[in-house]
Amino acid sequence: MVITPSSSSRTICAVNKALSSSSSSSFFTKQKIRSVKMNAGMFNNNNDSSGGDDEFKKIVNDIVYVDPVVGAKRFSNYFWASVVTAGASGFLITGASAYFKHNLVFFLDASDIQFFPQGLVMSFYGIAGLLLATYLWLTINWNVGAGYNEFNKEEGIFRVFRYGFPGKNRRVNLLTDLKDVTAVRVEISDGINPRRVVYVKCKGKGDIPLTRIGQPLTLAEVERQAAELAKFLQVPIEGL
């Protein structure tokens, strides 16, 4: 094969063009990866195993509205998990003391308790209580329910992110077009089981709840959140 000066020049140009295209593609790929890492790092949610150290910060400006949602790491959950642990441990230790006919702990006197049936029943309650306490502590450690609601005008998306239980659905990430949001709806009901929930109404998808579950917000918090969100999205408020 004979390479003439003109064919050599064309070959060099083709090689330079290919290298330039490859370099440009690599550059934009790196930029995209860097952008994704920055967006993920904004919420510090890299710890999949526990979700315990994740702190979602509230961001409100003309382009992005991010509202954090509190998960299982609440004072009430810590309180009840501690109460259940202490009570279940007391039942189990008392049942074991009745079985061995010796007080395993000096401040729990089981000398007047027969293992059958009282001690056996107390041991059963103790084991059941410890299983419940284990579930509560794991839920707190995994911070189930924590996450954030994001409304991004630049990207045109509405995102609902939540932590679930470890496994396939550890991270629940729901995306909706921002243009499909038609209104902000507030549901308020008092009584034995009060409900104070802020919803986002979307075309063809029903109402999507935004507030945390298990600990109702105050009326002032619900009104403030609904007003802020409606002002940002430029949509009406329903239910107030």
Side-chain angles (χ1 to χ4, degrees), residues 64-139:
V64 179
Y65 180 97
V66 178
D67 187 35
V69 177
V70 179
K73 288 196 169 184
R74 302 192 300 265
F75 172 78
S76 60
N77 287 348
Y78 279 107
F79 173 78
W80 287 115
S82 301
V83 169
V84 172
T85 301
S89 299
F91 275 101
L92 186 59
I93 292 173
T94 302
S97 299
Y99 177 78
F100 291 110
K101 297 181 180 180
H102 173 72
N103 293 332
L104 300 179
V105 179
F106 70 92
F107 55 84
L108 291 177
D109 187 9
S111 57
D112 296 332
I113 298 177
Q114 298 294 325
F115 178 72
F116 187 83
Q118 295 94 337
L120 183 61
V121 173
M122 295 184 74
S123 299
F124 172 77
Y125 285 150
I127 294 173
L130 287 178
L131 290 176
L132 175 60
T134 301
Y135 168 78
L136 293 175
W137 286 117
L138 288 176
T139 302

Side-chain angles (χ1 to χ4, degrees), residues 202-224:
C202 298
K203 291 187 295 186
K205 296 184 180 180
D207 298 350
I208 301 176
L210 302 180
T211 51
R212 60 181 181 262
I213 299 174
Q215 189 173 2
L217 299 173
T218 64
L219 185 58
E221 288 176 327
V222 170
E223 292 177 347
R224 177 190 55 78

Side-chain angles (χ1 to χ4, degrees), residues 32-42 46:
K32 185 177 291 186
I33 293 174
R34 186 178 296 112
S35 176
V36 171
K37 288 182 177 179
M38 288 177 63
N39 290 336
M42 179 174 64
N46 295 322

Side-chain angles (χ1 to χ4, degrees), residues 18 28 43 60 76 147 149 198 215:
F28 285 114
F43 299 102
V60 180
S76 60
N149 307 312
V198 177
Q215 189 173 2

Side-chain angles (χ1 to χ4, degrees), residues 12-83:
I12 292 173
C13 290
V15 171
N16 287 338
K17 186 176 180 180
L19 290 175
S20 176
S21 176
S22 174
S23 175
S24 176
S25 176
S26 176
F27 172 77
F28 285 114
T29 301
K30 290 179 180 179
Q31 287 294 101
K32 185 177 291 186
I33 293 174
R34 186 178 296 112
S35 176
V36 171
K37 288 182 177 179
M38 288 177 63
N39 290 336
M42 179 174 64
F43 299 102
N44 299 323
N45 54 7
N46 295 322
N47 188 357
D48 266 348
S49 61
S50 66
D53 296 328
D54 305 330
E55 293 182 0
F56 303 101
K57 299 179 181 178
K58 185 163 186 175
I59 302 174
V60 180
N61 54 46
D62 295 336
I63 304 299
V64 179
Y65 180 97
V66 178
D67 187 35
V69 177
V70 179
K73 288 196 169 184
R74 302 192 300 265
F75 172 78
S76 60
N77 287 348
Y78 279 107
F79 173 78
W80 287 115
S82 301
V83 169

